[in-house]
Amino acid sequence: MSLWSKFQKGIQDVAGDLEKVVSNAAAQVSAVAAVPDPKAQARAEEWNRALGERRLPFFVQERLRQTAAGHLPWIQSGPVAALLMERSHGIHPLGMVGGNCWYHFGYSWTQGHYDGWHQAIDRLRQEAVALGANAVVNVDMRVRRGQEEDMDYALLGTAVRVQDLPPSPEPAVATVSSLEFVRLLEDGVVPVGIAIGAEYDWYQPWVGTMLDQASMQAPFAAQYWNMEVADLSSFQENVRRRALYNLQQDGRRLGAAVLAHTQYAQLFRVADGQGQGERFLYRHIAIGTAISYQPAHVPHHELLPTYSLGRRLHPHRPHAKDLL
Amino acid sequence: MTQETLAPHAVERLKGLRSQGSHEGIFTSDLSVNEFVMIRKAEFEPLGLVVGSCIYHMGIQYGSWNQNMEMDVLSQAMYQARELAMSRMDQEAILLQADGVVGVRLEVKRMEWDPDILEFMAIGTAIAHRTGAEGFKGVGGKPFTSDLSGQDFWMLLQAGYRPMEMVMGSCVYHVAHQGILRSMGNIGRNTELEQFTQAMYDARELAMERMQREAADAQADGITGVQLHEGSHNWKPHVIEFFAVGTAVKAMNDADARIDALAPQLVLPVND
């Protein structure tokens, strides 16, 4: 960076700081001027206490209790077709339940994903328990990315009660729709929760990767060679195996198998610098639906093969824009 | 649906204690819920997710500017790296004593820090016949591999075929540039660019030939679900890879009887 650009950047930084000071001061003045609403303040304090004590705030508990008792209307998030199926199969929607956790990554982005999702799932389950549910279906997983090293993990779903069953102390949490949930139950398969496996590690090849070593031995020829960078392959495989093992262990905790619908992996290279040599970071996260079933129980649904003449089953029909 | 119509296991789970979860049938896989049901419907059980990967340095090869030619160094690299990833996945399936692997995906990723290094990954779900019935293994008694989904796997068995091996053919090809005189000569004319046509033909043909040769070696009757991908992995603009991949299948002894029993019904959805 040239001296002039450093100088210019310095002026910009000072201007930016001044702007922040002014806006902070304005915010403080307006905070003093505005009289806080005691109700809103009490509500905020109750949220604080409840999150700290790992429970639901009293006013949330009350609303859920009223909904469960039928004094407030039930809520269902799926399509009307799902409602029809639910009614005909003895599934009663109770209410929408959610859980979220805005999480700051201190030492590990990867571990943060594991902790953030688990915290959000626990909170979702708390609301489902308060409604007296047997399961939460149609659970939608979303994230909101923060400004810096932080992220919000959010879950939203419909808590349901199965006819004639007592409320569950640990309701099943299912990412499938209520239609699929019903079909799976009839086949003896219960989606019980969400399992997560995450792992990361660093690799620092002290004398360079195998490709670097080959380049040292044959400075001009190595770039023309086809070769596996075997040390990087095995480092990556090792981390991935641990992530998938963790996923299996998380499923085992729920006594369930895991259908891993989402897998995310990244390999970074951090260049030589600050006294540290070249390093590699690999992270792998797998998220899945945990399902409980007994292999001995064979699915009994009869299947009727059909061939649809509907448009949606013709994915290869070209669009004009691809042909002209 | 009442307690009577539900499986006892499902009722117990919904009543709800984790400790009542089965410790049988604990596996991981990337099957969808529908695929899982269909695999079980086909009398198979998932055993686990199997993965193989390989980080590979591609050698450098220069194509002659005005000549159509296969870039054989790159073709070999693409083939060998995929083969390494697949064989590692196979090893995991053998350890799980699987009959085969379904839903195999082959992914290629470019490393940001070096354009000549690519990551190849093969990922699928190992399955085994529920009652241990024999006759489903692939070539040489090894687990079969297939890129078919759970639904397609069920349909394939219903149609009287069994998967043998996921077969592939790859060809990296350099499409010749047109000379300046040639380009000038085409100004104002509607005409076929034969050199380009020929390059596309030849590259596709080489990829298909190689895939078909693999299937013949696997003693398969045919290849189903073939997809032909065209791609460039950060190569020069005139270098392109044709990659053909599909599942080699073999007819079972009672194939004709099975296919006669299966009479798909045509339906016309009124809301689509």
Side-chain angles (χ1 to χ4, degrees):
Chain A
M1 189 185 274
S2 72
L3 196 62
W4 168 244
S5 15
K6 277 186 186 168
F7 179 63
Q8 203 176 16
K9 189 173 179 305
I11 292 178
Q12 280 168 356
D13 287 350
V14 170
D17 287 348
L18 265 177
E19 205 176 313
K20 278 182 193 162
V21 168
V22 170
S23 70
N24 269 344
Q28 279 173 10
V29 168
S30 63
V32 171
V35 180
D37 176 0
K39 267 191 184 170
Q41 206 172 4
R43 199 177 159 95
E45 281 168 10
E46 172 58 8
W47 268 118
N48 260 339
R49 273 195 300 274
L51 288 178
E53 293 165 13
R54 291 176 174 270
R55 62 169 175 83
L56 294 172
F58 295 125
F59 50 87
V60 175
Q61 285 181 31
E62 180 55 21
R63 183 181 65 82
L64 296 178
R65 201 179 57 77
Q66 296 273 351
T67 309
H71 301 315
L72 286 173
W74 49 264
I75 310 171
Q76 182 249 17
S77 60
V80 179
L83 185 64
L84 175 73
M85 190 85 168
E86 285 166 5
R87 303 291 292 188
S88 65
H89 282 68
I91 294 221
H92 300 283
L94 298 170
M96 274 180 92
V97 289
N100 68 308
C101 172
W102 200 305
Y103 200 92
H104 168 75
F105 311 120
Y107 68 95
S108 165
W109 180 89
T110 317
Q111 183 64 28
H113 272 68
Y114 181 87
D115 293 337
W117 281 124
H118 273 291
Q119 185 69 266
I121 294 166
D122 286 347
R123 288 177 182 160
L124 173 99
R125 211 176 240 131
Q126 276 179 355
E127 292 199 2
V129 169
L131 278 170
N134 295 120
V136 186
V137 294
N138 232 356
V139 173
D140 185 27
M141 303 172 79
R142 282 190 193 178
V143 295
R144 295 180 192 92
R145 286 180 185 84
Q147 295 291 315
E148 290 165 14
E149 291 289 299
D150 55 314
M151 207 183 246
D152 181 39
Y153 299 90
L155 294 163
L156 202 61
T158 303
V160 297
R161 167 80 68 81
V162 179
Q163 197 168 323
D164 302 335
L165 284 188
S168 309
E170 288 179 67
V173 175
T175 50
V176 297
S177 70
S178 55
L179 294 170
E180 275 189 303
F181 187 73
V182 167
R183 192 168 50 85
L184 289 171
L185 284 188
E186 288 178 343
D187 273 344
V189 178
V190 191
V192 287
I194 295 167
I196 298 147
E199 188 70 46
Y200 73 100
D201 206 353
W202 287 94
Y203 169 57
Q204 185 158 19
W206 295 104
V207 283
T209 61
M210 290 182 76
L211 181 63
D212 298 332
Q213 291 174 37
S215 303
M216 277 186 265
Q217 282 165 12
F220 299 107
Q223 59 175 326
Y224 294 96
W225 293 347
N226 280 338
M227 65 175 283
E228 185 187 8
V229 193
D231 56 335
L232 273 184
S233 288
S234 71
F235 159 66
Q236 184 207 38
E237 197 163 279
N238 203 356
V239 180
R240 190 189 58 234
R241 273 178 206 278
R242 278 187 275 152
L244 293 177
Y245 175 76
N246 292 345
L247 179 73
Q248 192 166 22
Q249 288 304 307
D250 209 30
R252 199 171 280 269
R253 190 178 56 83
L254 296 160
V258 183
L259 301 177
H261 49 71
T262 305
Q263 298 234 25
Y264 179 79
Q266 251 181 328
L267 180 64
F268 296 97
R269 174 181 173 271
V270 181
D272 196 351
Q274 295 179 340
Q276 296 237 38
E278 177 191 44
R279 292 184 302 157
F280 294 89
L281 168 67
Y282 182 67
R283 56 197 193 188
H284 192 115
I285 296 176
I287 303 173
T289 298
I291 50 162
S292 170
Y293 77 110
Q294 284 181 321
H297 184 94
V298 178
H300 66 271
H301 266 136
E302 230 180 83
L303 283 171
L304 177 66
T306 62
Y307 185 78
S308 171
L309 300 177
R311 274 183 303 156
R312 283 185 197 166
L313 287 184
H314 294 281
H316 299 302
R317 180 174 294 178
H319 290 287
K321 69 176 172 53
D322 298 326
L323 296 179
L324 301 173
Chain B
M1 186 173 65
T2 60
Q3 276 197 55
E4 288 74 45
T5 59
L6 287 179
H9 165 69
V11 175
E12 287 306 309
R13 250 347 260 256
L14 284 173
K15 277 183 181 169
L17 290 173
R18 282 177 193 177
S19 55
Q20 287 167 337
S22 158
H23 277 269
E24 281 180 83
I26 293 184
F27 65 89
T28 50
S29 118
D30 65 346
L31 296 173
S32 70
V33 173
N34 280 336
E35 282 183 292
F36 165 68
V37 171
M38 292 304 284
I39 296 278
R40 297 202 66 223
K41 206 74 194 164
E43 299 185 5
F44 278 77
E45 290 292 333
L47 300 176
L49 194 69
V50 284
V51 193
S53 65
C54 168
I55 296 181
Y56 200 90
H57 174 263
M58 316 279 294
I60 296 174
Q61 186 180 16
Y62 297 103
S64 179
W65 197 81
N66 59 353
Q67 197 185 340
N68 277 338
M69 60 183 284
E70 184 181 7
M71 308 284 276
D72 53 351
V73 173
L74 296 180
S75 287
Q76 274 173 23
M78 295 301 288
Y79 196 83
Q80 194 190 6
R82 284 194 182 103
E83 189 63 30
L84 276 171
M86 287 282 288
S87 63
R88 284 169 191 164
M89 185 190 74
D90 287 349
Q91 285 303 316
E92 291 198 357
I94 290 170
L95 284 174
L96 286 170
Q97 298 183 326
D99 282 331
V101 186
V102 290
V104 175
R105 286 179 288 127
L106 268 172
E107 292 172 2
V108 184
K109 256 202 293 195
R110 195 165 63 83
M111 294 289 123
E112 275 172 24
W113 73 85
D114 188 337
D116 295 327
I117 294 183
L118 295 176
E119 181 197 340
F120 294 80
M121 187 188 260
I123 184 164
T125 296
I127 60 172
H129 195 273
R130 185 177 299 128
T131 59
E134 290 185 353
F136 289 103
K137 289 257 166 68
V139 185
K142 285 202 307 185
F144 68 79
T145 47
S146 158
D147 60 349
L148 299 177
S149 67
Q151 289 90 328
D152 284 345
F153 177 68
W154 180 83
M155 194 59 82
L156 186 73
L157 294 182
Q158 296 301 308
Y161 289 94
R162 66 190 177 92
M164 296 294 289
E165 191 175 57
M166 189 162 148
V167 287
M168 55 196 179
S170 164
C171 173
V172 183
Y173 207 87
H174 175 262
V175 183
H177 291 74
Q178 281 201 102
I180 294 173
L181 286 177
R182 191 77 177 271
S183 307
M184 300 268 283
N186 285 341
I187 292 174
R189 291 175 62 203
N190 271 4
T191 181
E192 181 179 8
L193 302 177
E194 281 171 8
Q195 209 176 5
F196 289 0
T197 306
Q198 190 193 326
M200 293 297 138
Y201 249 116
D202 196 28
R204 191 179 58 227
E205 186 61 26
L206 282 167
M208 300 294 266
E209 270 174 28
R210 285 169 189 165
M211 180 181 70
Q212 220 166 2
R213 174 57 44 205
E214 277 203 1
D217 289 347
Q219 296 178 331
D221 294 334
I223 312 171
T224 185
V226 172
Q227 293 182 49
L228 188 68
H229 302 280
E230 293 172 30
S232 165
H233 301 283
N234 204 39
W235 297 318
K236 295 272 184 295
H238 274 237
V239 178
I240 188 168
E241 185 199 22
F242 278 82
F243 177 59
V245 61
T247 296
V249 298
K250 197 174 177 65
M252 292 190 278
N253 293 336
D254 54 349
D256 291 341
R258 279 172 181 254
I259 199 77
D260 286 344
L262 190 77
Q265 189 179 355
L266 289 182
V267 290
L268 180 61
V270 289
N271 59 348
D272 188 14

